[in-house]
């Protein structure tokens, strides 16, 4: 099953054909399973990927050079990454592009265009990413687990000083969102049943799964390196947006000034990036990303608690049980 590099069927069919010999040798050495996608999923450094996603991970590991002030947003697919991409972009660029500006870039470009995923870029494109008004700040997103990030990104002694923002979401909501997304982008010739999606998700054979291991990795990193990794929850962003915005702005080294606090800036950012605003924009209802996924597939209903409504009681309690077991003793509760 794919990460945000989830691709429609037509692209996936070619996945295994396009790789070079070295990559083919790597694939043949890895455990593989049938996931939600028509191609096999491969287990690499403890997590499951499509061949295309894995190629992206390896490209990053081999070629990505962090720069001073880079910001990296990490999440599991369907954790509301689109939302936080929009927020981080708006926060960082608020002087040049105030959120009430009628020509704000987010009104004409998808958050995924403005903040690209590492894994979807060719290494030659890393340097061209210039999504910030501050020339030294690049903003990327990724689904790569902490242990598989390029070493230079994790390295505290590196001069890059880049910051990592990790976003997680309630597990049940995440699964339901993933299930709908998989069917919307036609990952399989025939629709995937919720039961099948649930089964694979619990086994960890889902987008950069097991999701619990990805979350826990970044949780621990955020405890050990609070200056480097900020751990955020989608539900907190929903329930206390102003507080979370301040926390994020502070972490990114761009705290709100008193003047900004006393203006309507925070509410304007919240409003611009809201599901209501974003999901109605033409740009988010038309067009496709690089690998053929429609921009509209990133917007469904954007609510908290959908998982509980859509899953059976048995499914919900099984997910709760796995979550409890996996996070036991970590201090993390979802
Ligand atoms: P639902 O399927 O539950 O509606 P990702 O961005 O990681 O691919 O996750 C997609 C999920 O984020 C979808 O959840 C989508 O509706 C939700 N989402 C996208 N933009 C949002 C926004 N601006 N505010 C809140 N949720 C948003």
């Amino acid at each position: 099953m794919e990460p945000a590099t989830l691709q429609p069927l037509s692209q996936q069919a070619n996945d295994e054909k396009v790789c070079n010999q070295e990559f083919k040798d790597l694939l043949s050495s890895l455990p593989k399973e049938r996931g939600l996608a028509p191609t096999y999923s491969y287990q690499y450094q403890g997590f499951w990927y499509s061949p295309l996603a894995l190629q992206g991970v390896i490209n990053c590991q081999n070629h990505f050079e962090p720069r001073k002030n880079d910001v990296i947003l990490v999440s599991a697919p369907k954790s509301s990454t689109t939302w936080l991409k929009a927020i981080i972009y708006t926060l960082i660029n608020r002087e040049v592009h105030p959120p009430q500006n009628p020509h704000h870039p987010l009104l004409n470009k998808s958050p995924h265009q403005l903040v690209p995923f590492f894994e979807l870029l060719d290494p030659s494109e890393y340097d061209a990413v210039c999504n910030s008004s501050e020339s030294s700040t690049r903003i990327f997103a990724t689904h790569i687990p902490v242990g598989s990030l390029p070493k230079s990104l994790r390295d505290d002694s590196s001069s890059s000083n880049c910051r990592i923002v990790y976003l997680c979401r309630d597990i049940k909501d995440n699964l339901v969102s993933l299930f709908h997304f998989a069917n919307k982008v036609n990952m399989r010739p025939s629709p995937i049943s919720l039961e099948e999606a649930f089964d694979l998700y619990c086994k960890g054979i889902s987008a950069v799964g097991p999701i619990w291991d990805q979350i826990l990795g970044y949780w621990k990193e955020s405890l050990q390196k609070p200056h480097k990794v900020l751990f955020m929850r989608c539900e907190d962003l929903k329930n206390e947006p102003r507080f979370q915005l301040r926390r994020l702005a502070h972490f990114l080294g761009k705290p709100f000034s008193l003047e900004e606090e006393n203006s309507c800036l925070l509410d304007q950012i919240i409003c611009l990036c809201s599901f209501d605003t974003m999901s109605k924009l033409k740009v988010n209802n038309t067009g496709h990303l690089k690998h053929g996924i429609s921009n509209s597939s990133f917007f469904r209903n954007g609510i908290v608690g959908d998982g509980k409504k859509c899953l059976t009681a048995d499914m919900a309690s099984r997910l709760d049980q796995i979550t409890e077991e996996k996070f036991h003793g970590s201090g993390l509760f979802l």
Side-chain angles (χ1 to χ4, degrees):
M1 168 77 189
E2 320 295 300
T5 47
L6 282 163
Q7 328 128 57
L9 205 53
S10 51
Q11 271 86 21
Q12 290 201 17
N14 287 323
D15 252 24
E16 279 155 347
K17 292 186 201 148
V18 294
C19 24
N20 64 29
Q21 191 55 45
E22 196 183 339
F23 186 64
K24 277 187 189 156
D25 291 346
L26 172 70
L27 286 185
S28 65
S29 72
L30 298 176
K32 64 178 182 181
E33 286 282 352
R34 284 275 173 211
L36 290 183
T39 55
Y40 278 106
S41 292
Y42 293 83
Q43 193 182 36
Y44 177 73
Q45 299 181 339
F47 293 85
W48 292 94
Y49 301 93
S50 70
L52 187 80
L54 182 54
Q55 181 74 75
V57 174
I58 288 169
N59 282 342
C60 289
Q61 291 180 338
N62 291 338
H63 302 290
F64 185 75
E65 290 293 338
R67 267 204 229 144
K68 193 167 173 282
N69 296 338
D70 278 350
V71 174
I72 319 288
L73 164 60
V74 192
S75 62
K78 305 303 123 198
S79 301
S80 306
T81 322
T82 314
W83 187 17
L84 199 51
K85 279 186 176 189
I87 292 177
I88 292 179
Y89 181 89
T90 310
L91 269 181
I92 289 189
N93 292 295
R94 64 187 189 260
E95 276 131 27
V96 174
H97 302 301
Q100 78 279 22
N101 179 348
H103 302 293
H104 193 281
L106 270 171
L107 301 176
N108 296 305
K109 284 189 174 165
S110 138
H112 298 288
Q113 275 174 284
L114 294 171
V115 180
F117 285 106
F118 270 164
E119 301 92 315
L120 296 182
L121 294 175
D122 185 84
S124 64
E125 296 173 300
Y126 296 153
D127 277 345
V129 170
C130 179
N131 42 19
S132 161
S133 51
E134 292 180 17
S135 56
S136 61
T137 306
R138 296 179 301 178
I139 317 167
F140 292 98
T142 183
H143 296 314
I144 301 178
V146 69
S148 297
L149 283 177
K151 213 174 152 289
S152 50
L153 257 181
R154 296 183 61 195
D155 194 356
D156 237 359
S157 60
S158 121
S159 57
S160 69
N161 181 33
C162 46
R163 295 177 173 88
I164 296 173
V165 179
Y166 184 77
L167 177 67
C168 78
R169 186 182 189 186
D170 174 83
I171 295 289
K172 296 184 282 292
D173 289 358
N174 180 267
L175 166 60
V176 168
S177 183
L178 191 58
F179 161 68
H180 285 291
F181 182 79
N183 283 327
K184 194 159 180 183
V185 302
N186 294 328
M187 292 181 65
R188 291 259 189 98
S190 55
I192 297 154
S193 71
L194 182 58
E195 288 70 24
E196 192 180 0
F198 170 80
D199 212 41
L200 288 165
Y201 191 89
C202 289
K203 286 187 199 148
I205 312 170
S206 66
V208 203
I211 187 169
W212 298 273
D213 297 1
Q214 199 216 48
I215 297 172
L216 203 53
Y218 281 99
W219 170 249
K220 288 183 181 162
E221 198 80 350
S222 74
L223 296 180
Q224 283 164 15
K225 301 176 185 171
H227 54 287
K228 181 140 191 118
V229 182
L230 180 73
F231 191 92
M232 299 190 75
R233 293 176 172 83
C234 166
E235 295 71 28
D236 294 342
L237 210 46
K238 266 262 158 27
N239 295 333
E240 43 178 24
R242 292 173 68 91
F243 177 78
Q244 293 301 327
L245 236 57
R246 285 190 193 103
R247 193 173 161 241
L248 182 59
H250 186 266
F251 174 77
L252 295 175
K254 296 215 33 143
F256 295 112
S257 65
L258 200 58
E259 197 185 326
E260 287 179 322
E261 281 283 353
N262 291 333
S263 71
C264 303
L265 179 71
L266 273 81
D267 290 334
Q268 286 164 347
I269 295 175
I270 292 165
C271 177
L272 172 65
C273 301
S274 69
F275 183 86
D276 237 33
T277 306
M278 291 273 113
S279 63
K280 287 183 186 136
L281 293 172
K282 186 171 171 213
V283 62
N284 292 325
N285 283 290
T286 52
H288 292 82
L289 294 188
K290 193 173 169 184
H291 289 281
I293 303 173
S294 63
N295 285 330
S296 65
S297 60
F298 292 94
F299 300 89
R300 191 175 61 94
N301 60 19
I303 59 172
V304 170
D306 210 24
K308 259 192 200 151
K309 284 187 223 141
C310 300
L311 299 171
T312 65
D314 278 355
M315 285 174 169
S317 92
R318 173 89 185 106
L319 283 177
D320 286 344
Q321 187 196 347
I322 299 175
T323 305
E324 219 175 292
E325 284 167 13
K326 287 272 194 180
F327 294 167
H328 181 76
S330 70
L332 173 61
F333 301 94
L334 280 192

